[in-house]
Amino acid sequence: MRGVIFDGGQPQMVSDLEVRGPGPGEVLVGVRAAGLCHSDMSVVDGTIPYPVPVVLGHEGAGVVEEVGEGVTHVAAGDHVALSTLANCGACAECDRGRPTMCRKAIGMPRKPFRHRGRELFTFASNSAFAERTVVKAVQAVRIDREIPLTSAALIGCGVLTGVGAVLNRAKVGQGETVVVLGTGGVGLNVLQGARLAGASARVAVDVNPEKEAVARRFGATHFVDASAVPDAVAAVRSVLPTGADHTFECVGDTKLIRQAVDLLDRHGQAVLLGVPPATAEASFLVASMYLDKAILGCRYGSSRPQRDIALYARLYREGRLLLDELVTRTYPVEEFPKAVEDARRGRVARAVLVF
């Protein structure tokens, strides 16, 4: 079967990848579509350290082909969106409803794939850049067949992360104000999460003026072209003079993290979603924090995928959540290099590989 593997050099598409069948509590999924997320590229460029060789991809949707012993919530033929949380369901964190913090799911990649005799790691417990992948049953969430799989694929990372950060982590309230730094796939979902939450002002900031139209489509009430102003913070404060209730850094740039903190109003909170290099350090004025301000880390939108994916799928069917508009372009998996180039140059909100 086809798949995209990375062995520490350049990622390559191969046609002779193998995957084992599902064991107890696992599901074999035929992947139909997979979004190209910034995290996949961050593994390739070394921003995110990860063991190799590995099968890339972690934002996918497809059709169940086979289920292992004990799996009853999905069956062969079901359409599913995949999450990256291979949480155990039994530890203290899972019991508290915090599967993103499961200590048995982080940093423990499995090796279900083989390529020319070598075992390959799975990426983010998912590896959606393969025609078939094996995931834990908890990662497969059944969705309606009416939802295009190219759109459903994006729920499993970009939507869960962005919308979840607003609703689950920041808990943005009706009438509050939001600033989003970076309007890529995650930033756009933060914007539509803020719209769903009823935020009154939703200010998008980006260095690419061509992103204004799509940012407004997803819920931005204001747009700041950071490439055209000498001081982006001052430009935002012309809209929100006292600062924002919530800021979201969606790029992974330490300078933007500082901006996210500087833009906070009293009682405000800055939510960090972008992923800088593992050794990166950010700074801020300590004195500025004593007015009950906060800096929040956020993993995967603090999501509970079995609940949240079903919710977002319902909101999509009701016309309240945008998915189709996220898919700027689809690429046959053989065109993976082209998809990466377009994503790096900001030509697409989300590139989607199709099998």
Side-chain angles (χ1 to χ4, degrees):
M1 67 178 185
R2 294 170 294 170
V4 178
I5 65 176
F6 175 62
D7 61 4
Q10 288 295 320
Q12 57 178 317
M13 204 285 292
V14 300
S15 59
D16 51 353
L17 186 65
E18 301 173 23
V19 66
R20 63 170 173 77
E26 293 182 333
V27 178
L28 176 68
V29 176
V31 179
R32 300 293 187 268
L36 175 60
C37 177
H38 188 74
S39 296
D40 299 302
M41 296 184 287
S42 293
V43 171
V44 175
D45 66 24
T47 301
I48 297 178
Y50 205 86
V52 295
V54 59
V55 179
L56 294 173
H58 64 285
E59 188 180 67
V63 180
V64 174
E65 294 191 358
E66 185 181 351
V67 300
E69 180 183 353
V71 177
T72 59
H73 75 291
V74 293
D78 284 345
H79 286 204
V80 292
L82 302 178
S83 84
T84 71
L85 294 184
N87 56 293
C88 70
C91 69
E93 296 295 346
C94 286
D95 192 51
R96 293 187 184 103
R98 302 173 184 165
T100 58
M101 296 295 110
C102 177
R103 296 184 185 277
K104 295 185 179 180
I106 301 174
M108 300 179 183
R110 298 167 296 156
K111 294 182 177 180
F113 297 97
R114 295 183 68 86
H115 180 246
R116 299 180 182 178
R118 287 194 306 173
E119 291 184 330
L120 285 76
F121 289 103
T122 184
F123 178 53
S125 303
N126 189 308
S127 291
F129 292 169
E131 285 188 269
R132 295 180 184 84
T133 190
V134 171
V135 299
K136 291 186 66 173
V138 71
Q139 297 177 251
V141 184
R142 186 163 57 86
I143 57 174
D144 287 349
R145 292 173 178 268
E146 290 75 18
I147 301 178
L149 291 173
T150 49
S151 297
L154 306 185
I155 301 177
C157 181
V159 177
L160 282 178
T161 299
V163 178
V166 174
L167 303 182
N168 302 327
R169 185 64 168 133
K171 294 181 169 60
V172 173
Q174 186 83 20
E176 293 182 333
T177 57
V178 167
V179 174
V180 180
L181 302 174
T183 57
V186 170
L188 291 176
N189 280 295
V190 172
L191 284 169
Q192 70 171 334
R195 172 176 51 77
L196 288 167
S200 59
R202 303 177 293 271
V203 184
V205 183
D206 204 288
V207 295
N208 184 352
E210 294 182 2
K211 291 188 175 182
E212 179 173 1
V214 68
R216 290 186 180 277
R217 178 75 179 89
F218 275 77
T221 57
H222 302 78
F223 184 87
V224 172
D225 176 6
S227 69
V229 295
D231 185 343
V233 171
V236 173
R237 284 191 174 274
S238 70
V239 179
L240 302 172
T242 63
D245 296 310
H246 309 273
T247 60
F248 296 83
E249 199 285 331
C250 304
V251 178
D253 185 300
T254 55
K255 293 181 180 179
L256 294 182
I257 291 172
R258 173 60 183 268
Q259 289 185 13
V261 175
D262 289 345
L263 282 166
L264 293 177
D265 197 355
R266 299 177 181 187
H267 301 279
Q269 53 187 14
V271 182
L272 308 186
L273 297 176
V275 182
T279 57
E281 297 182 359
S283 64
F284 58 91
L285 292 175
V286 176
S288 72
M289 301 300 293
Y290 290 115
L291 294 173
D292 287 358
K293 299 178 184 181
I295 301 173
L296 305 180
C298 183
R299 181 171 188 259
Y300 205 46
S302 301
S303 298
R304 297 164 63 182
Q306 288 288 336
R307 176 199 68 176
D308 292 346
I309 289 177
L311 169 63
Y312 301 154
R314 176 170 62 82
L315 292 175
Y316 167 80
R317 295 195 306 273
E318 294 173 355
R320 299 170 60 196
L321 185 86
L322 304 180
L323 291 179
D324 303 337
E325 294 82 355
L326 282 167
V327 185
T328 311
R329 180 177 171 184
T330 59
Y331 302 76
V333 67
E334 292 82 2
E335 294 183 10
F336 174 76
K338 173 63 174 172
V340 171
E341 179 186 359
D342 287 349
R344 288 197 186 280
R345 294 182 178 274
R347 296 169 180 160
V348 292
R350 219 33 158 213
V352 177
L353 301 180
V354 293
F355 290 93

